[in-house]
Amino acid sequence: MDQDPRQRYEAICEASPDAIVVADRDGRITYANGRVTDLFGYDPSELVGEPIETLVPEAARADHVADRDAYIADPETRQMGAGLDLSGRRKDGSEIPIDISLSPIGSGGRREVMAAVRDVHDREALRAKYQTILEAVPDPVVVADAATGEIIEVNRRAGDLLGYEPCDLVGRPQTVLHPSGEADRYRALFDEYVAGPSSDRSILHAFPDGADIHAETSGGERIPVEINAHVFDLYDRRLIAGVFRDVTDRKEYQRQLRTLHSATRQLIAADDREEIAALVADAARTILGYEYNVVRLADDDRLRPAAVTDGAETEMGDRPMYPIDGSAPVSRVYDSGESLRFDDVRTLEDGYDRGDARSAMYHPMGDHGVISVVDPAVGTFDPSDEELASVLSVNAEIALNRLSYERDLERQNERLDEFASVVAHDLRNPLNVAQGLLEGERTGAVATHGDEIAAALDRMEGIVDDVLTMVRDGYEVDDVESLAFDTIVADCWDCVATADATLRVESDGLLYADSSRIRNLLENLFRNAVEHGGPDVTVTVALSEGGFAVADDGPGIPPADRDRVLEPGWTTGENGTGLGLNIVREIARAHDWGIDVTESAAGGARFEFTGVRTVPADGAFESDPERL
C-alpha cells in the first residue's frame, strides 16, 4: 500500500469508535489503532508483529488458529462467531465480552484481514438482566426473530412445559413448538397476528376458524395454550416474545360447565325423586371426574342411598343409611345446610366403613338430601371441584323443589276436582230435598217436615265443613313431632260427638306425626265409627312397632267395598259426605304412610296404618294384630 493511501487508511481506522486490528496470512498483527489501548490495555506498537492469538483467551487459542486459517482460505466480510458469546483477552489477563466483524483487504499485493472489535460489556450486562427477568416470569416464554421465526431465547418454564432443555430449542424454527405436520398453518398464524407491522401486541386464543391453538411436547403430547405475543426491537433486531399459558384446566372447566348445563336440563325434565337422584350421581361423575358418588334422599328420619355410582358400589360396597340427626358428616350437612370437605375421612371416628375412600365432600340438596363425592386419593378436591359440586347440589334442590311443587299442585287440583264434584252432586241432593219439602209446605200439599229439612241442612253443613278442611288446610305435613299416643287419641275423641260410644286404648307410646293433620285423621275415623257403628259403638286404638290401628265393633265394611271407601264421594249413609275417609287417606299419604282397610276382630271396620315412626311403650301391642 502506498504511503499516502496507507496514511489515509490509518486515519480512517484511528477515527473508528471500534478497536481495529489488521493481521497477515500468518496471523501476525501488522496494524492496531489507538482504540486497542482502551479495549485491551496494549499500546498499538506492542501488538505489531505479535500473533493475533495474543488477544484471544488461552482456552480458545488452539481452536482459533484453525478458524483463522479456514477464513484466510475463503475470506468474506462477515460477523465472526455469529450467535456465539465471544471474549477477548486484555493485557492484564482479564477477559471482556466482544463482537468481531471480519473483512479481507489487500495491502501491497498481500492479503490481510481487518478485524473491527467492539466492547459489548454493557450489552451483555443488559442481556444478563433481560435473561434474569425472562427466568423470573412465571409463565413459559419463547423469544423468536420476527423475520425468520428462529428461536433465540427460551426460559426454563417453557422447557418444562414442552419437555426440552431450553438450549435444545434455540436456533430452531418457531413452528417446532406446535403440532407436527401443521407448520404452515402455525407459521401463517405467526405472520398474520404477530409479525405484521400493525401488531404490537396480541393474545392468541384460537385460529380464525375457532380451532384451539396447541403446543406439542417433545413426547408428542398436544397441550391447548393461549399465547400472549409482544413484538419489540432490540439492537436493531425485531423480536417476538410469546408468553405461553397452558389452558388445559380452563378447557376442562368449560367442558364441566357445558356438562353441568346439560345435566340441569335433564334434572328439570325428570319425573320423580329417584330419577333425579340417579341423574345427580351420574352428573357428579361426568362433571367432576370422580367415580365414587352417592346421593341420599331424606325419608322420614333417615337419609337413604337412592343412587350409587358403579365405582362406589364396587369399591365401597353397600352404602348405609344415616339418621337425619346423627353425627356423621352426611347427617351434619343435612341438618346444617352447609357443605363439608375432608382431605382424609380416616380421621373420622364414627364407626362407618368407607372402604378405600380418602378425600370426601358433602353437599346438601336443601331438605331433600345430600350428595356425597369421595376419592381414594388424599386431599384431591380443589376449589373448582367444590364450586361445581355446590352448583350441582343447588340445581338438584331446585329440581326436587319443582317436583314437590308439581305434586302439591296436582294434589290441589285433585282436591278442587273433588270439591267441584261435591258441589255439583253431593251438595245438590240434600239441597233439592230441602227445596222440595219447603215447596210442599208453601202449597200445603204435605205436612210439616221440619225434621227432614233440618237433617238435609245438617248434611249440607257437614259437606261444607269437610270441603273447607280439604281446600283450606290441605293435607301437607308441616312439622313432624313426637306425640303421646294416648293423649292425642283422647283429645280427638273429646272433639267428636260420640254419644254413648266407648273408646279403648289397647297400647300406648310415642307417635311421630304432624299434630294438626293427625287430629283431622283420628277425628274423621272416630266420626265414621259412630255414624256407621251406632251410638253405642266401641272404638279400639292401638300403637305398634311401625304403625297404629283404629277399629270398631260396628257392622264393618263388605270386602267388595273396602278399596272404594277411601275414594272421594263414597258413602253408604244417607247423611254421609263421602269425604271423611278420603281425607284420612290423603293425610296418611302426606306422611308417606300406608293404609289398609280390613275387618276387626269384632267384625267391624279396621283401619291399619303402616310405615309410621313409633316408639311403643313397654308391653305395647305388637304381636297380635287380630286383637283389634
Side-chain angles (χ1 to χ4, degrees):
M1 183 178 292
D2 296 336
Q3 186 65 23
D4 288 344
R6 179 78 180 193
Q7 289 177 344
R8 289 196 298 272
Y9 170 76
E10 291 179 357
I12 293 172
C13 289
E14 291 298 331
S16 171
D18 298 325
I20 304 294
V21 178
V22 179
D24 61 18
R25 293 178 61 88
D26 297 326
R28 293 195 174 273
I29 299 172
T30 62
Y31 170 79
N33 72 352
R35 284 286 292 138
V36 298
T37 303
D38 298 330
L39 186 58
F40 292 103
Y42 289 98
D43 185 272
S45 61
E46 293 181 86
L47 292 176
V48 173
E50 296 296 325
I52 193 67
E53 281 75 28
T54 301
L55 304 177
V56 176
E58 291 183 2
R61 285 177 180 175
D63 291 336
H64 184 268
V65 171
D67 293 337
R68 181 197 69 197
D69 291 343
Y71 181 81
I72 290 294
D74 185 20
E76 62 177 341
T77 300
R78 65 174 174 81
Q79 189 176 14
M80 179 178 173
L84 300 178
D85 294 328
L86 301 180
S87 297
R89 185 179 185 276
R90 292 173 55 84
K91 185 176 181 179
D92 62 7
S94 63
E95 297 182 8
I96 55 173
I98 58 175
D99 270 352
I100 304 174
S101 294
L102 300 177
S103 300
I105 60 174
S107 177
R110 296 176 301 171
R111 177 173 292 182
E112 294 181 318
V113 176
M114 182 181 73
V117 186
R118 179 172 297 178
D119 182 358
V120 293
H121 179 272
D122 291 342
R123 181 190 301 179
E124 289 301 310
L126 180 61
R127 181 182 176 189
K129 183 178 180 180
Y130 155 70
Q131 288 179 324
T132 300
I133 295 173
L134 194 66
E135 290 300 331
V137 175
D139 292 310
V141 181
V142 176
V143 180
D145 187 291
T148 66
E150 178 187 347
I151 297 172
I152 62 172
E153 294 283 357
V154 180
N155 71 352
R156 169 55 60 185
R157 286 178 175 79
D160 293 342
L161 174 68
L162 300 170
Y164 290 95
E165 285 297 320
C167 61
D168 293 337
L169 290 171
V170 173
R172 302 181 68 179
Q174 160 266 342
T175 51
V176 75
L177 306 174
H178 301 290
S180 304
E182 298 185 39
D184 292 343
R185 188 182 191 202
Y186 278 90
R187 180 65 197 186
L189 182 73
F190 181 88
D191 292 339
E192 179 179 358
Y193 283 88
V194 185
S198 63
S199 179
D200 292 331
R201 189 174 185 87
S202 181
I203 298 179
L204 307 181
H205 300 280
F207 283 94
D209 62 3
D212 290 338
I213 296 174
H214 289 89
E216 185 173 86
T217 69
S218 60
E221 178 187 358
R222 293 163 63 101
I223 302 173
V225 294
E226 171 186 277
I227 305 175
N228 190 340
H230 180 59
V231 180
F232 64 101
D233 293 312
L234 183 65
Y235 301 126
D236 300 326
R237 192 178 188 184
R238 194 163 179 78
L239 303 175
I240 303 161
V243 181
F244 285 64
R245 179 157 294 173
D246 183 349
V247 294
T248 301
D249 291 343
R250 184 194 304 173
K251 294 292 183 182
E252 172 61 14
Y253 188 68
Q254 292 171 350
R255 182 202 65 79
Q256 290 173 324
L257 288 179
R258 290 193 298 270
T259 306
L260 179 60
H261 291 160
S262 176
T264 300
R265 289 192 293 269
Q266 291 179 301
L267 289 173
I268 295 302
D271 293 328
D272 59 56
R273 298 171 77 220
E274 303 300 320
E275 182 182 358
I276 289 175
L279 288 171
V280 170
D282 187 62
R285 179 183 61 80
T286 56
I287 294 170
L288 302 175
Y290 298 110
E291 298 293 332
Y292 302 171
N293 309 314
V294 181
V295 177
R296 289 179 172 85
L297 296 177
D299 285 339
D300 296 328
D301 62 337
R302 296 281 173 177
L303 290 162
R304 170 180 59 84
V308 182
T309 57
D310 292 340
E313 189 170 5
T314 300
E315 299 298 329
M316 302 168 63
D318 293 337
R319 305 316 302 141
M321 289 195 296
Y322 290 103
I324 283 177
D325 55 357
S327 60
V330 170
S331 304
R332 288 157 53 193
V333 166
Y334 181 81
D335 181 62
S336 68
E338 300 291 335
S339 62
L340 284 176
R341 188 188 81 179
F342 297 91
D343 288 337
D344 192 343
V345 291
R346 289 177 297 183
T347 59
L348 297 172
E349 298 180 356
D350 54 7
Y352 288 99
D353 179 14
R354 295 181 175 86
D356 293 334
R358 297 296 180 264
S359 299
M361 58 180 173
Y362 305 91
H363 289 267
M365 300 184 294
D367 59 359
H368 302 287
V370 175
I371 303 172
S372 304
V373 181
V374 301
D375 191 76
V378 173
T380 191
F381 300 129
D382 59 26
S384 174
D385 292 329
E386 290 191 275
E387 179 183 357
L388 289 169
S390 177
V391 173
L392 177 61
S393 68
V394 170
N395 289 348
E397 178 185 356
I398 292 172
L400 289 164
N401 285 341
R402 186 265 310 166
L403 191 64
S404 177
Y405 170 78
E406 289 180 352
R407 288 185 173 180
D408 290 343
L409 188 61
E410 289 176 0
R411 291 173 182 171
Q412 291 176 5
N413 288 337
E414 289 175 359
R415 287 199 296 272
L416 289 175
D417 288 343
E418 294 165 4
F419 171 78
S421 175
V422 169
V423 171
H425 182 267
D426 294 0
L427 196 58
R428 183 173 295 171
N429 287 339
L431 183 61
N432 289 339
V433 170
Q435 288 174 336
L437 293 173
L438 287 174
E439 182 65 24
E441 290 281 348
R442 284 196 293 268
T443 61
V446 297
T448 300
H449 292 281
D451 291 342
E452 289 88 343
I453 293 174
L457 294 176
D458 285 344
R459 181 164 183 257
M460 292 168 61
E461 182 181 14
I463 292 173
V464 170
D465 289 341
D466 284 344
V467 169
L468 287 177
T469 297
M470 180 173 62
V471 174
R472 287 179 178 174
D473 298 336
Y475 312 120
E476 288 77 11
V477 173
D478 295 325
D479 186 23
V480 174
E481 56 185 309
S482 61
L483 305 169
F485 187 65
D486 61 343
T487 301
I488 194 72
V489 167
D491 289 346
C492 293
W493 183 261
D494 291 341
C495 291
V496 176
T498 54
D500 295 327
T502 302
L503 173 67
R504 293 175 55 201
V505 180
E506 285 283 336
S507 55
D508 192 17
L510 295 179
L511 169 72
Y512 287 80
D514 183 303
S515 61
S516 176
R517 300 284 82 80
I518 192 66
R519 288 177 184 276
N520 291 147
L521 182 147
L522 291 172
E523 288 174 9
N524 273 284
L525 288 175
F526 294 160
R527 190 178 296 112
N528 180 76
V530 172
E531 289 176 356
H532 294 279
D536 58 349
V537 69
T538 296
V539 177
T540 304
V541 296
L543 187 75
S544 63
E545 184 69 38
F548 66 94
V550 178
D552 62 54
D553 60 358
I557 301 172
D561 294 336
R562 290 172 188 168
D563 290 337
R564 300 170 52 207
V565 296
L566 302 177
E567 297 297 328
W570 193 92
T571 181
T572 59
E574 291 183 2
N575 297 322
T577 67
L579 296 176
L581 293 182
N582 175 249
I583 291 174
V584 169
R585 183 189 70 176
E586 294 304 318
I587 292 174
R589 283 181 175 177
H591 283 83
D592 288 329
W593 297 341
I595 180 172
D596 192 23
V597 182
T598 61
E599 183 179 0
S600 70
R606 179 177 184 272
F607 296 86
E608 180 181 358
F609 298 87
T610 56
V612 184
R613 184 184 177 191
T614 62
V615 181
D618 291 342
F621 168 81
E622 295 182 23
S623 59
D624 188 10
E626 296 305 320
R627 288 176 59 191
L628 289 182

